[in-house]
Amino acid sequence: MIAIGAAIALNACASSPVALRGTADLATVIARASGEVAVLDTSNKQFTGIIGGLGDLSHASIVYARDGRFAFVFGRDGGLTKIDILSHKIVVRTLQAGNSIGGAISQDGKLVAVANYEPGGVRVFDAETLELVADIPTTIDGGPDRSKVIGLVDAPGNRFVFSLWDTGEIWIADFSAGNTPSVTRYQNIGIQPYDALITPDGRYYIAGLFGEDGMALLDLWHPQSGPQRILDHYGKGEERLPVYKMPHLEGWAIAGKRAFVPAVGRHEVLVIDTETWQEVGRIPVHGQPVFVMAHPDGRHVWVNFSVPDYDTVQIIDTQTLAIDGELKPGTGVLHMEFSPRGDQVWLSVRDDNKVVGYDPYTLKPIAELPLPSPSGIFMSDRAGRIGL
Amino acid sequence: MIAIGAAIALNACASSPVALRGTADLATVIARASGEVAVLDTSNKQFTGIIGGLGDLSHASIVYARDGRFAFVFGRDGGLTKIDILSHKIVVRTLQAGNSIGGAISQDGKLVAVANYEPGGVRVFDAETLELVADIPTTIDGGPDRSKVIGLVDAPGNRFVFSLWDTGEIWIADFSAGNTPSVTRYQNIGIQPYDALITPDGRYYIAGLFGEDGMALLDLWHPQSGPQRILDHYGKGEERLPVYKMPHLEGWAIAGKRAFVPAVGRHEVLVIDTETWQEVGRIPVHGQPVFVMAHPDGRHVWVNFSVPDYDTVQIIDTQTLAIDGELKPGTGVLHMEFSPRGDQVWLSVRDDNKVVGYDPYTLKPIAELPLPSPSGIFMSDRAGRIGL
């Protein structure tokens, strides 16, 4: 049975009491063309409300406060907005930079960090008030230029880890002693890191490289050992296809003892053994992969693709590495997100202006909800997940 | 800085509006002598309220509904109670058996299962109404006797897995096709399984044995291969110490590539490689371990002990297997629970009638809250965790 939801309007009624409810089954969905974030009730399979006025969300992401009620929206235009997913309101908003790409929340929930392109660097804010508490410019050789920052994640011990696109570095900013971080720089990690993930336990930080074929691995338990190159030359000297959409790396790449990551400019998913960090397989797929996400039970990974192949999602068996299933949800499948125990998966289908829920075991649709230009979907369960 | 909380009384005021809040930072704490459950706000480090009338909680546990607001309390007297942790109320309560030991919630959140000693078996209830939907008696050889059930967990695919103390079996009850389960029995798994855990991805079910030294492992991806004995004869023929308190197994036993489990009747924690399932180490500890729980960052496991050594908690480095730290929180440390990202750990100290919070990195106390005879502590984040 599919629940068809009606489109919902901005909640303008400030005086109605908001119904008491839990937050664990809620998710947020970016409506990228209209600067809005919709709140999805995954138990009732309906939107509960929508929050507008969030600026340029053409590339945006969300992290959650430790209570699961408040969330932080990182907008492309440098907007940083704290929202309340229960009352569907903006709590605090700041335009903290000219152009930014993502963010993270600290382990203790007190600090929110933003990865900025312009000016290059990381800015860190008090999670309660969004007051600036630290500014980490990613200067290049002590000169006036600053590197774009990508791949910003939180790590255990109240640290933030991020990479520098222009200079090929990984930095760790340690806030465990207070609001003035101690910063450690790791240089020569590779050419043009474009995104990064941290393993679910927060031990390994893995940056994907765009300027060459390979990834950089940093063991945060032994960072003094420095970055290690993995999957080196995975392109085998072959010419890369034009890349229209950068792949994305998330902690959900890990399934059991393996990591599944998108190859850049190739129609392949690469499989890494997380004990040896060696490549143990590669899977030919439908197009250039954008997101490769493991189901919480680790048995399958789901893959979506860049234009022009973004009408398709493939489902790979993590043991056999075979493609077990395929979905054609519509045009512009931008993101996928599993419910925390894996009973549902939600897909945003941008060009069809809808969000579709599926039973990931039977592949039957369970809901289809209209939303203009949906993109990222974020379960509030991420409030309790290192690196997300 | 330690927050000292005042004792709180039963909230008898039904007409006050309950303040809107998230649920992700809440936990429940069993007050085992008074049949009450207190709700702990881990952000403000205070109790928000207490729910009474829960019967015999001398051994009790809690699972959460998928929304994180409702929770199910399994009491020793067979009581099954649905509570609301926001309004501090009982929603529904049933006395569903004479004597029971624990329970689980299904992957899709629709079913709650209870492990019963008397009458032996598993009963399954609608999570909304607590109406009985299935009854699975654990009959012995088709006769009138029924085995006690222990080690009941949920598994992916809307299954429940549990073990039979009297007959040495593991059963899988599969509810994926509806409310009449298909049940598969695995016999001869070992003598007197006393508890079990499921790995965080829901793949491996591991039952600890009491009647002999060893554990039984069942790969739920390939259950037809049957149970496999691991850690066989770990006692090496040595006489076991008298066991005053059974150890407990939880999914938090897994840290990275290893599982850390209590030895029965020995002052040891056993270390298992989760690739080969071979013993790779054993750690001499302060007393007979009861709970062995990994910090979410996987870097340490925390161990508490049975009487008479239950004034101590030891902290083990999962790489070196050395004892890194020790706490003496008070007498009767019954349970430990980490906040989801690992910024806090909470301990129940029964004989000192208090719950104590610590920073697990500095080992400094962050809160001390009075509560009569506290035992189990359960973060509401468990709403999104397979097997918990």
Side-chain angles (χ1 to χ4, degrees), chain B residues 112-183:
Chain B
V112 174
V114 191
N116 289 326
Y117 275 10
E118 179 54 50
V122 170
R123 286 194 169 136
V124 182
F125 301 84
D126 179 291
E128 197 58 43
T129 61
L130 292 193
E131 280 174 44
L132 182 72
V133 305
D135 194 343
I136 308 170
T138 42
T139 48
I140 300 174
D141 299 326
D145 295 324
R146 292 162 66 150
S147 171
K148 293 184 179 60
V149 173
I150 56 85
L152 172 65
V153 299
D154 60 287
N158 252 22
R159 294 175 292 176
F160 293 110
V161 189
F162 49 94
S163 299
L164 278 57
W165 164 270
D166 294 286
T167 61
E169 297 174 75
I170 293 171
W171 290 21
I172 301 178
D174 186 327
F175 284 83
S176 60
N179 285 348
T180 303
S182 90
V183 178

Side-chain angles (χ1 to χ4, degrees), chain A residues 107-139:
Chain A
Q107 182 181 29
D108 67 2
K110 294 190 169 128
L111 300 172
V112 174
V114 192
N116 289 326
Y117 275 11
E118 180 54 47
V122 171
R123 287 193 168 137
V124 182
F125 301 85
D126 179 291
E128 197 58 41
T129 61
L130 292 193
E131 281 174 44
L132 181 72
V133 305
D135 195 342
I136 307 171
T138 42
T139 48

